[in-house]
Amino acid sequence: MPDQSEVTPPLVKIMGRLGSAKAYLIRDFLQRSDVPFEWIHLETDEQAQSCAGVAHCQDLRLPICLFPDGTRMECPSLRQLIKKLGWFHKPAHAEYDLAIYGAGPAGLSAAVYAASDGLKTVLIERSAVGGQAGSSSKIENYLGFPEGISGAELAERAREQACRFGVEVLLAREGVCTEFPPGKGIGYLADGARIVARASLCATGVEYRRLDLPDEKRFLGAGLYYGAGSSEAPLTKDEHVYIVGGGNSAGQAAMHFAPFARRVSMVVRDDSLRSTLSQYLIDRLYATPNVEMLTQTEVTGLEGDERLQAIILTHRETGEARKLDTHWLFVCIGGVPQTQWASEVGIVRDQGGYLVTGPDLLLGDRSPTDWPLDRDPYFLETSRPGVFAAGDVRHGSVKRCASAVGEGAMAVAFVHRYLESG
Ligand SMILES: Cc1cc2nc3c(=O)[nH]c(=O)nc-3n(C[C@H](O)[C@H](O)[C@H](O)COP(=O)(O)OP(=O)(O)OC[C@H]3O[C@@H](n4cnc5c(N)ncnc54)[C@H](O)[C@@H]3O)c2cc1C
């Protein structure tokens, strides 16, 4: 198998128009993957012709990506881009010791520990490595990085480390369902590939909760963004940016946009940030003159044509509604786990859809119904022997990078016990 850590990412030039959802997807992916890129904003048809060689700014071939080797890709999909970067691989083995779904901090950590222990390990990620952490502009409370580190850099370092130990990383692949013939698990990927493994680890984290507003889909990537949008900050020069959410991810996003944007408004449902935000971020936000807090406020409407032009904010107590012009709305309002596959195979979830593991599965001091073994489930084992969960997707997990990394490492210890026992 080729050493996947040796692929050096090139500088990619992306040309397109602002408000293009496809261009945003590409920028976001490259930013989270720590791949340097240059964004060229095409404002006029003349520019589109001279820079990008297309007829006009609305040309369907946009966005165009140019690579240093001269390759030109017109409106590429993420998978095509990943292939071009040399990161797209077919599963190399018919069977693995451990299949890990999700390459956020939990999955990456499990991959490093599993492969360094000699387990034949595959790591399956539907998008970019790093998960939520990869979208953070600066993680400041992760042990060992006193100046902080960007989530993308942390993730890229972890990816490289995993690859050095021989982990097979399958990007742009999404696990969709699973089945369990005796002694193994088979994961089916969205593209039809199948991954057979003796043990598996679900580290699929959470996905941002949606605003559920009319017309939301229309503006996705074209003014409305789920996540901290770290790739977008340089594009918001002299603009008014709105960030929805009162947690650390929203606070970090506000601090990241503040040096670029004219004004940054945090839209928060509660009446203060004290219960949801780390004190160090509260102090910084209040000390940054162009950041304001709009507490007890919700986004209740989106307006625009092809691109977001305005939002409606409503005060929760007074009901007063205001229309405010903006092209930039970033939503960081916590997440929900995507674990429908688990309920389809009878794996126990809690009411929120989080996977229940270990002692939390016990009914009094009895093993869960349908549990087939004499022993109780291991600490991070789900109600299906040999299927483990780590990180934010797990019931009762602490939603932090370090905890996810710790759980990923710990899960591997239980994977060993499981494999040795049977
Ligand atoms: C903007 C932001 C800033 C943050 N800042 C901090 C901070 O400063 N300090 C801190 O401690 N914590 C921070 N957090 C929280 C921290 O990032 C999370 O707790 C941590 O990333 C959880 O890791 P995880 O591996 O469990 O899940 P995730 O990071 O959510 O990763 C899950 C991965 O699984 C993938 N996936 C999902 N479904 C599938 C599937 N079916 N098939 C394949 N892959 C799949 C996803 O694409 C994703 O890459 C921040 C979070 C955000 C969003």
Side-chain angles (χ1 to χ4, degrees):
M1 215 188 83
D3 179 353
Q4 296 179 10
S5 68
E6 282 171 7
V7 182
T8 314
L11 175 77
V12 187
K13 271 188 188 170
I14 315 160
M15 291 179 277
R17 63 188 161 77
L18 268 187
S20 153
K22 286 202 161 163
Y24 165 69
L25 273 183
I26 294 172
R27 286 194 303 270
D28 180 58
F29 176 81
L30 294 178
Q31 176 87 19
R32 290 195 287 133
S33 304
D34 212 22
V35 174
F37 67 88
E38 182 186 350
W39 164 248
I40 298 167
H41 169 199
L42 303 174
E43 285 179 275
T44 62
D45 290 347
E46 291 70 39
Q47 257 185 324
Q49 287 155 16
S50 60
C51 297
V54 296
H56 48 76
C57 283
Q58 302 300 324
D59 196 303
L60 293 178
R61 287 172 291 173
L62 292 174
I64 283 170
C65 294
L66 288 182
F67 290 79
D69 66 1
T71 305
R72 171 188 167 98
M73 297 179 90
E74 296 181 344
C75 197
S77 65
L78 283 190
R79 182 175 283 206
Q80 288 168 328
L81 203 68
I82 289 168
K83 279 187 180 162
K84 174 62 195 157
L85 289 167
W87 290 349
F88 192 80
H89 303 277
K90 287 192 177 142
H93 298 287
E95 186 171 319
Y96 296 87
D97 294 322
L98 176 63
I100 302 167
Y101 293 85
L108 284 164
S109 152
V112 167
Y113 281 95
S116 63
D117 286 352
L119 296 181
K120 202 191 291 176
T121 305
V122 62
L123 176 61
I124 300 132
E125 167 58 51
R126 69 179 169 186
S127 172
V129 293
Q132 297 166 71
S135 70
S136 168
S137 49
K138 203 170 193 191
I139 298 175
E140 295 197 60
N141 51 7
Y142 190 69
L143 195 71
F145 294 91
E147 303 293 321
I149 180 166
S150 84
E153 188 185 344
L154 186 67
E156 175 49 26
R157 283 166 175 252
R159 185 193 73 85
E160 193 184 324
Q161 197 172 10
C163 290
R164 278 175 193 246
F165 282 119
V167 174
E168 220 180 285
V169 182
L170 304 181
L171 288 183
R173 310 290 184 104
E174 180 174 13
V176 284
C177 61
T178 184
E179 63 182 29
F180 298 99
K184 55 188 75 166
I186 303 179
Y188 291 92
L189 309 188
D191 61 6
R194 93 204 245 285
I195 303 289
V196 182
R198 295 166 65 207
S200 28
L201 172 67
C202 178
T204 51
V206 293
E207 211 162 84
Y208 279 110
R209 198 172 292 124
R210 302 278 148 164
L211 287 176
D212 281 337
L213 291 174
D215 276 344
E216 189 173 316
K217 275 199 181 137
R218 187 150 70 90
F219 297 119
L220 265 184
L224 168 65
Y225 306 90
Y226 280 94
S230 48
S231 62
E232 303 305 280
L235 311 182
T236 62
K237 193 167 174 295
D238 298 330
E239 304 252 352
H240 193 157
V241 170
Y242 290 82
I243 295 169
V244 186
N248 281 342
S249 55
Q252 274 180 16
M255 288 307 300
H256 182 57
F257 281 101
F260 299 94
R262 175 171 48 83
R263 189 157 192 77
V264 179
S265 301
M266 285 182 73
V267 181
V268 185
R269 278 169 59 101
D270 292 345
D271 54 9
S272 98
L273 295 171
R274 302 239 165 256
S275 58
T276 50
L277 203 61
S278 296
Q279 189 60 45
Y280 83 93
L281 272 172
I282 296 181
D283 294 344
R284 281 193 208 163
L285 289 165
Y286 279 108
T288 308
N290 65 336
V291 175
E292 68 170 350
M293 315 293 160
L294 303 174
T295 52
Q296 287 200 292
T297 304
E298 283 175 327
V299 182
T300 51
L302 307 171
E303 291 185 9
D305 34 51
E306 281 183 350
R307 191 177 172 200
L308 183 72
Q309 303 289 354
I311 58 174
I312 312 291
L313 293 187
T314 302
H315 194 273
R316 296 183 76 208
E317 204 174 81
T318 63
E320 185 202 347
R322 291 185 292 158
K323 181 172 159 180
L324 298 146
D325 292 342
T326 185
H327 297 306
W328 304 99
L329 179 66
F330 295 89
V331 184
C332 305
I333 51 173
V336 275
Q338 308 288 308
T339 53
Q340 188 52 34
W341 64 271
S343 80
E344 285 161 13
V345 288
I347 288 179
V348 176
R349 304 185 303 163
D350 69 11
Q351 280 191 335
Y354 293 91
L355 300 181
V356 183
T357 58
D360 291 331
L361 284 163
L362 300 182
L363 311 163
D365 54 3
R366 282 183 300 118
S367 292
T369 328
D370 296 337
W371 176 255
L373 305 179
D374 291 337
R375 65 166 174 86
D376 287 340
Y378 294 129
F379 185 60
L380 297 177
E381 196 170 27
T382 67
S383 61
R384 162 78 59 169
V387 178
F388 297 81
D392 282 14
V393 73
R394 196 178 69 80
H395 165 83
S397 59
V398 177
K399 309 291 184 273
R400 289 272 194 243
C401 265
S403 326
V405 167
E407 287 194 8
M410 203 196 303
V412 172
F414 294 115
V415 167
H416 279 297
R417 280 200 216 168
Y418 170 77
L419 293 177
E420 281 156 17
S421 70

